[in-house]
Amino acid sequence: MEFVFSVHPSNIAKATDSSGPQKQGASITHEAVAVTTKLLSSVPGSMTPEAWFGGIADQLLQLMDGKSGQDLAKTSAQIVGYGILGKKQYGAPGTAGWNSFVQPLIEALNPSLMNENLVTIKEEDDIIDLSQDKVLIKAESLKVSLQRLSVLLLSNPSSGLYKRVLRPVLLQLWALASWLNALPLTDQEYVKPARTLLEAYLRLFGSRDTIWPLIQYLLSKGSPESAKRPWKYRLTGKGEIEIVEPPSIKKEVVGFNLNWNELEEKAATLVRLVTSCCSKEEISSIFLDLLRRWIQAAGKEKEDIKIDIPIQEQDSSISSPVLDLIEVTILQRLMEQAPENLVSHFDQLLELICQVFRADAKAQLADDLVAVVLSLLNLVVTAPTFQKSDIKPEELEVVEASLNRLSNANRAQISPTARNLAMLLKYRDEVEEPNKSITTPSNRQIEDRKTYSLAMNYITGSAENPPPVVAEGLNLISSLILAESPILDIPAVTVLMSNLLAENDDFINLRVIKVFTQLANKHPNSAVQELLDHYLDPQEKASTDVRLRFGEALLQVVERLGQTFAGDIAQKISETLLSIAGRRGYRPKTLAKQVREEKRQKMKKKETDDDGAADLMDEDEDITEEEKATNDILAQILQGWESKRGSEDVRIRASALSIFGTAIETNIGGIGPTLVSASVDLSINVLTIEREMETGILRRAAVLNILSFVRALDKAKESNTRLGFGLTDESREDIVRTLHYVAATDNDGLVQQHANDVIESLENWQISSMMPSQAASSGPELMSLAGLHVNPAGTLVDGAGRPRPRIEEVE
């Protein structure tokens, strides 16, 4: 990796960017990472995948520890996650890549995944005490595995990788993330990494099926009860956590060692986790499942109660007093901490309430059960969007009759509540303003609003949201854009995308650019204006790299618009690009910053002249004259790229001119003759006036802009499109004369080569312009004769003029 980063051409510019020698190894560029990923993920023909990945796994995993730098750790994780685990033949469970990179990490968290013969470590003592716990995984191995899993998953935006890797260790992550009374060391090295991974997993896949195992094993401290060889996490005296196997002579029975405080705290932790990571629909679904099970358990003493909504088989098969107590505790916590999230499934909740009321009418139920049901009915009735007409007539009849019956009953705990609810339900609709018209949203609007809220929570909910969660939020936004949902707040979405694009995360940036292109199809004005504002950067707040990213997004939008790139949008984009590419740009804030930086550099140089003279002489002795001259030229070019005396950065100008060339090829007719002519004049002026070595990239963009103009004219001629303007002989001769001069005298080899290519293209275009277009008719043609079937094109046709199949003899 270090070798590729050092010798890759994209690293040369960054290597010479600083005046002093580089001490921390080669710079990491995106192009070099792509080459390294392809190199390390390709198995040599002389080796098996098992041997190849087994040989490089330890080195890549050690790089993830961050001892060689966080940038290298993140790069290694991306190589493993994208290049190796992202391929089905290497990244699926059981394959060579999985066994080399993932299996060792998850086995350190869950030893039950190991081969039974390997679930042990070498004993340090000669005498083994069978009455003591046997250490299976040391604390250091557990800490390193958690750290490597965090780096691997949080550096890659793939949600599929998250699911594959964490699903086998979900219960173990919960046991660590819910560790009680953790010491600062324990919290920093074990609890926080596990909680971060668990939160990201629940944000992506937080459903009822995912949460239910956490409820069943709420008090778990290691392996599930079904494990053949039980083990548990144990806190050492130093505050570290290790994995041990209890001796066979010592058996713990959870039911008899139940700690009520531990149950309360773990239930509260799980409820906080669920309410912060899961959607309201999933929270409501979990609540309804818990409520059904509790009502069923409470009604077992009376055979008259029957709940028509069945409980899933996997839940009904698992039942114990401890589990019942856990479920009731979580149910209570949900009603206390998140009552507003429990009524999303309005129909199911109301149906369950009616079932309890019917059962209570047949045989009186416990007051605490009826009190809970009345509390839920209060949540339903007091919801802001509730209307009495939302309840089915038969269910409304059951509710009103039950409330009247309970109001008149002599049950001190529930009769006053029932009386108040009956009055509230009776006058609920009259509380609203009589003239206020309430528009009931459609099912699609409700679902779109939920999707939009979830997407915004994924993207902006927390500053620590990992890339997979943000990527999933962008996917949800993209689906709403493609569906043309009216729920979308387009200005807010464009501002949010701009903020994400300003961050330096390549995987997220690519997805953001894709969202911008989709927005441009549906809302071109908003998307284009947002991109132009950040690309032009009139307030001078963004760096050059950030502006170039917005330029890349603008390029993709222009290409996506295609023939619709015309009118005001084309005018606005073209004028902005020409203003950036021109020589009149003035940035006063940048000028003031350059003056301050120049003074600082002079003071720093004056201070270090005496101290560093000897060191610089020793370093210069190791460099040849040729290398020194090359470095000086590169340093001059890099220094010249930056803004001089407050002018625009050369890289930004070259970028703007290149985007304009793409716009000309996309739809030259939509831009118009004035702006196209201005771009050609600007390109000629750049080639003749700005001939410094550091402006070579700008002259390359200028030559290619002229080439794009010639290609656009040729494309219009071939498609028989009338532009209303063209290239006169006089203008063509002026351009050719300038290009001949550039090809003979320019100090940049690529500029000379591009100039010769454009001269050749202009000559070919001149020749082709003298010939009629293929699409144009060459004169009168013979179309038909009386009594004969005439086919001037030469294809075989039948009597009706339809083409017939041709039979040809082939060797």
Side-chain angles (χ1 to χ4, degrees), residues 16 21 90 155 182 263 335 364 427 450 567 629 704 764 801:
T16 59
Y90 301 138
S155 300
L263 172 60
M335 295 184 65
Q364 183 173 324
Y427 299 104
K450 293 176 182 177
L704 294 179
N764 294 335

Side-chain angles (χ1 to χ4, degrees), residues 548-654:
L548 289 175
R549 283 200 289 272
F550 279 98
E552 174 64 23
L554 184 61
L555 174 66
Q556 298 288 340
V557 167
V558 170
E559 292 179 342
R560 186 67 174 264
L561 289 175
Q563 293 302 312
T564 62
F565 179 69
D568 294 338
I569 293 179
Q571 191 83 5
K572 186 186 305 181
I573 293 178
S574 301
E575 290 176 353
T576 303
L577 292 176
L578 290 180
S579 67
I580 294 175
R583 303 178 67 242
R584 297 179 178 273
Y586 179 65
R587 303 176 72 80
K589 294 182 181 179
T590 304
L591 176 59
K593 181 180 178 182
Q594 289 171 345
V595 172
R596 293 193 301 269
E597 183 68 18
E598 186 178 354
K599 290 181 179 179
R600 190 183 65 83
Q601 290 292 344
K602 287 181 179 179
M603 294 177 61
K604 184 177 180 182
K605 183 179 180 181
K606 186 176 180 180
E607 293 175 356
T608 58
D609 275 345
D610 298 333
D611 299 336
D615 296 337
L616 290 175
M617 289 179 63
D618 294 337
E619 292 170 358
D620 291 343
E621 290 177 358
D622 299 333
I623 303 176
T624 63
E625 291 296 331
E626 183 179 356
E627 292 177 346
K628 185 177 180 181
T630 302
N631 291 340
D632 291 341
I633 293 174
L634 291 175
Q636 179 184 352
I637 293 174
L638 292 174
Q639 186 178 3
W641 279 355
E642 298 180 356
S643 171
K644 290 183 178 180
R645 297 180 300 277
S647 61
E648 185 62 89
D649 192 293
V650 174
R651 290 163 291 183
I652 299 294
R653 294 178 61 194

Side-chain angles (χ1 to χ4, degrees), residues 197-466:
L197 292 173
L198 185 60
E199 286 177 352
Y201 187 91
L202 294 182
R203 287 183 184 276
L204 294 172
F205 311 106
S207 62
R208 184 250 178 220
D209 295 333
T210 303
I211 301 299
W212 200 253
L214 303 183
I215 297 175
Q216 294 174 352
Y217 298 100
L218 183 77
L219 303 176
S220 173
K221 296 182 179 179
S223 63
E225 298 176 359
S226 59
K228 295 181 179 179
R229 299 184 63 177
W231 53 269
K232 65 178 182 179
Y233 293 111
R234 184 180 68 180
L235 188 67
T236 66
K238 298 179 180 180
E240 299 176 328
I241 297 178
E242 60 185 6
I243 299 179
V244 298
E245 179 184 5
S248 57
I249 60 176
K250 185 196 300 182
K251 295 184 179 179
E252 294 185 1
V253 181
V254 178
F256 294 102
N257 296 327
L258 181 63
N259 187 332
W260 178 253
N261 292 331
E262 179 184 4
L263 172 60
E264 285 284 343
E265 292 186 20
K266 287 216 168 191
T269 301
L270 181 60
V271 170
R272 285 196 300 269
L273 195 65
V274 170
T275 53
S276 63
C277 298
C278 298
S279 63
K280 292 183 178 181
E281 290 70 28
E282 295 298 340
I283 297 174
S284 179
S285 177
I286 295 168
F287 173 76
L288 284 175
D289 287 335
L290 291 172
L291 185 62
R292 292 188 188 106
R293 292 175 62 86
W294 177 62
I295 292 176
Q296 187 185 55
K300 285 182 179 179
E301 300 177 358
K302 296 181 178 292
E303 299 181 355
D304 295 323
I305 184 171
K306 294 180 181 180
I307 305 300
D308 293 338
I309 303 177
I311 299 176
Q312 295 190 14
E313 296 180 0
Q314 60 181 6
D315 302 337
S316 59
S317 62
I318 302 175
S319 180
S320 68
V322 176
L323 181 57
D324 292 341
L325 184 59
I326 290 173
E327 293 175 358
V328 171
T329 305
I330 295 177
L331 186 67
Q332 181 182 1
R333 287 286 183 176
L334 281 173
M335 295 184 65
E336 292 175 354
Q337 298 182 16
E340 69 280 358
N341 297 333
L342 306 181
V343 293
S344 295
H345 295 283
F346 171 80
D347 297 338
Q348 298 180 26
L349 181 59
L350 198 59
E351 183 179 357
L352 189 59
I353 292 172
C354 291
Q355 291 292 331
V356 175
F357 281 159
R358 293 190 185 100
D360 184 69
K362 295 179 180 178
Q364 183 173 324
L365 302 177
D367 286 353
D368 55 351
L369 173 59
V370 180
V372 170
V373 173
L374 290 176
S375 299
L376 295 176
L377 181 60
N378 180 61
L379 290 176
V380 172
V381 175
T382 56
T385 58
F386 172 79
Q387 286 184 296
K388 198 172 180 180
S389 58
D390 296 337
I391 306 178
K392 298 178 182 178
E394 58 274 14
E395 292 179 347
L396 180 60
E397 184 179 354
V398 171
V399 170
E400 290 179 339
S402 300
L403 290 177
N404 292 330
R405 176 177 52 81
L406 294 174
S407 300
N408 299 326
N410 189 17
R411 302 167 71 172
Q413 185 177 354
I414 60 176
S415 294
T417 305
R419 194 176 303 111
N420 294 335
L421 274 176
M423 185 175 297
L424 177 62
L425 183 62
K426 181 178 181 181
Y427 299 104
R428 178 65 177 85
D429 291 348
E430 299 180 7
V431 173
E432 302 291 337
E433 298 180 8
N435 297 328
K436 184 177 179 181
S437 59
I438 300 177
T439 304
T440 303
S442 62
N443 292 333
R444 178 189 171 183
Q445 290 176 333
I446 295 174
E447 292 300 323
D448 286 353
R449 186 178 293 110
K450 293 176 182 177
T451 303
Y452 181 66
S453 176
L454 184 62
M456 299 302 284
N457 184 36
Y458 282 172
I459 298 174
T460 64
S462 173
E464 299 179 355
N465 277 350

Side-chain angles (χ1 to χ4, degrees), residues 42-152:
S42 302
V43 180
S46 59
M47 300 180 67
T48 62
E50 289 77 9
W52 172 251
F53 293 128
I56 65 175
D58 289 340
Q59 302 175 59
L60 287 173
L61 290 175
Q62 288 176 6
L63 289 176
M64 292 185 197
D65 295 338
K67 296 180 181 179
S68 300
Q70 294 300 322
D71 290 341
L72 200 56
K74 184 177 180 180
T75 302
S76 303
Q78 291 173 351
I79 291 174
V80 174
Y82 177 75
I84 300 174
L85 300 179
K87 298 179 180 179
K88 186 177 181 180
Q89 65 269 34
Y90 301 138
T95 58
W98 177 274
N99 293 335
S100 299
F101 293 98
V102 178
Q103 195 67 25
L105 301 182
I106 61 177
E107 285 178 353
L109 270 72
N110 185 4
S112 300
L113 301 174
M114 291 184 182
N115 189 337
E116 290 188 8
N117 298 327
L118 300 177
V119 186
T120 185
I121 66 172
K122 184 178 179 181
E123 297 289 342
E124 297 180 357
D125 301 328
D126 295 335
I127 301 176
I128 302 175
D129 189 353
L130 296 178
S131 64
Q132 300 296 323
D133 295 339
K134 181 191 298 184
V135 178
L136 300 181
I137 303 294
K138 291 185 177 180
E140 181 66 22
S141 299
L142 179 60
K143 181 183 73 173
V144 170
S145 297
L146 272 174
Q147 189 268 338
R148 290 176 177 177
L149 273 178
S150 299
V151 174
L152 174 62

